[in-house]
Amino acid sequence: MKAWIEQTRCIACGLCREICPDHAIHPKFQDVHHRFEVLPADCTGCGLCLEYCPAPGALVQYEEVPPSSHPA
Amino acid sequence: MPRPNHPLVQEFLDAWVYPVGFSGAGADFRLRMTARCLPVWNGATARAVKASVADQRTAGDAWKIERALAGYALEGPQMSIKQMATQLLSVSLAQQAEYIDLQRMRARQVWDEMKHGQLNADVLLRGGWIKREDELMEDVRANAQDNLAYFGLTSMFLHIHPLARAAQNYFVEAIAYLGITAALQTLEDPLIRHQMRSQQLEELMHFMEGKYQLDAYALTPEDQKPIEEAFDFLLKPWATKMSVAFGGREPEGSGR
């Protein structure tokens, strides 16, 4: 399992970044809005970020294919 | 005859400094202070361009690490908390109603400064130069800086007044915005650009907060006095040489 951030629901609070024990969550690369993203290579799938995320639906877990890769 | 402004400074003046939302004593006072800031803004911008050109030509990663550590020292948790907490506490409970809009700006700026610290840490994390942000707590380069004028308005400034922050917002945040703008024009490194992209607009926002404070609040000589004293402090070359503690040279003949 890996975590993934739905950018349209993320409120950019950064709480996930602070509590991630693996430093897998970072400010989104070169994003002027300072939202966050999960680096899959560093995510161990512990799910701690989901427990603390205050924005419903912003953090989700996936097995193999990130939700962004799913057809609309 | 006055020297022409650096092109980036002139662009900044035309877009953000000279257009006024208010007229009157506050705006007049601000433009008088602007004339005092201009030599420093021009010099800082020219130095930022020069440093960026030099960094762009430098091979290796050392300059990126140095930039990120220095950025973390300027805006990491240590400085963010000290700087902004001091300014929030400069307004007593009895004065809160009078300055509630300024207090709200300052409270939000705590988070902005934290974000900038995050971005500098992110350069080091993504670059693989640190494994965890905690490691920065052990590195003096990430927690100390030699700019006494900057630090002075945070924890050491002797004349704390609810409006003194306006001078820091106006003078220092303009330098931050101009420096980042200069760097983004030159530097191509994606990690360094990552660090600067969101910060650039937030520095501009903090400058505009200073502009608003001056235009709207610095209306009487009594209001202007503490702000002008803060400008005096910031514009005085308190630290023209690097402190020995941060790698500066011992003065000759000091016998050490």
Side-chain angles (χ1 to χ4, degrees):
Chain A
M1 296 286 278
K2 303 271 185 191
W4 182 79
I5 297 174
E6 167 55 55
Q7 296 296 320
T8 59
R9 294 178 184 237
C10 173
I11 58 171
C13 71
L15 190 56
C16 55
R17 186 258 186 196
E18 301 302 335
I19 57 111
C20 174
D22 303 302
H23 268 349
I25 300 178
H26 295 250
K28 195 178 173 198
F29 202 62
Q30 296 196 6
D31 177 23
V32 293
H33 302 297
H34 204 101
R35 287 167 297 194
F36 292 82
E37 65 184 356
V38 182
L39 298 190
D42 296 331
C43 178
T44 60
C46 71
L48 199 57
C49 51
L50 277 81
E51 299 291 328
Y52 284 88
C53 176
L59 261 162
V60 294
Q61 281 190 310
Y62 64 93
E63 293 271 1
E64 293 174 359
V65 183
S68 60
S69 306
H70 290 170
Chain B
M1 189 172 170
R3 297 175 68 178
N5 293 313
H6 189 284
L8 282 179
V9 175
Q10 191 59 53
E11 200 175 306
F12 173 66
L13 291 169
D14 293 338
W16 304 108
V17 174
Y18 292 147
V20 287
F22 295 80
S23 59
D28 294 344
F29 172 70
R30 179 172 63 79
L31 293 175
R32 188 156 58 81
M33 293 300 106
T34 301
R36 295 183 63 192
C37 295
L38 269 174
V40 184
W41 287 352
N42 277 303
T45 304
R47 284 193 298 277
V49 170
K50 196 174 171 184
S52 300
V53 169
D55 282 348
Q56 179 64 22
R57 290 177 181 154
T58 304
D61 294 330
W63 66 274
K64 300 177 210 172
I65 297 168
E66 197 175 309
R67 270 184 181 263
L69 289 170
Y72 197 83
L74 279 165
E75 313 198 57
Q78 293 262 22
M79 184 52 73
S80 300
I81 292 168
K82 285 176 185 167
Q83 179 187 163
M84 298 315 303
T86 306
Q87 293 307 309
L88 283 163
L89 293 172
S90 72
V91 178
S92 69
L93 278 178
Q95 295 172 304
Q96 292 282 355
E98 190 180 350
Y99 297 113
I100 195 66
D101 49 351
L102 305 188
Q103 288 293 78
R104 198 176 285 122
M105 289 178 193
R106 290 160 186 171
R108 196 201 48 238
Q109 195 176 350
V110 178
W111 174 227
D112 290 341
E113 305 297 350
M114 289 291 188
K115 285 195 288 186
H116 305 163
Q118 274 186 356
L119 288 166
N120 282 293
D122 210 47
V123 169
L124 299 162
L125 287 162
R126 285 183 185 261
W129 299 304
I130 60 171
K131 292 276 183 267
R132 307 184 59 83
E133 188 176 345
D134 318 6
E135 294 169 34
L136 296 177
M137 301 302 115
E138 304 298 323
D139 191 332
V140 70
R141 294 173 298 171
N143 293 284
Q145 51 146 310
D146 64 301
N147 188 340
L148 290 181
Y150 185 91
F151 190 65
L153 203 62
T154 63
S155 296
M156 293 164 62
F157 190 49
L158 297 173
H159 189 143
I160 291 297
H161 183 281
L163 293 175
R165 179 75 191 172
Q168 193 278 346
N169 274 125
Y170 197 74
F171 173 68
V172 179
E173 306 292 350
I175 293 173
Y177 172 75
L178 288 164
I180 291 173
T181 303
L184 282 171
Q185 280 198 338
T186 305
L187 294 172
E188 294 168 2
D189 182 81
L191 270 180
I192 296 299
R193 295 184 70 81
H194 166 56
Q195 187 268 309
M196 292 178 168
R197 288 272 284 141
S198 64
Q199 186 179 348
Q200 181 191 29
L201 292 178
E202 283 158 4
E203 302 296 8
L204 179 60
M205 178 176 70
H206 299 156
F207 163 80
M208 294 301 274
E209 289 170 354
K211 178 180 173 180
Y212 166 72
Q213 290 175 65
L214 293 169
D215 286 352
Y217 281 88
L219 303 178
T220 67
E222 292 73 33
D223 296 329
Q224 292 169 3
K225 184 171 181 289
I227 304 173
E228 188 153 11
E229 285 177 357
F231 273 112
D232 291 344
F233 183 88
L234 292 165
L235 287 160
K236 186 175 179 178
W238 285 97
T240 55
K241 292 178 182 171
M242 180 76 85
S243 156
V244 173
F246 298 110
R249 290 193 311 183
E250 295 277 5
E252 284 184 24
S254 65
R256 292 185 181 174

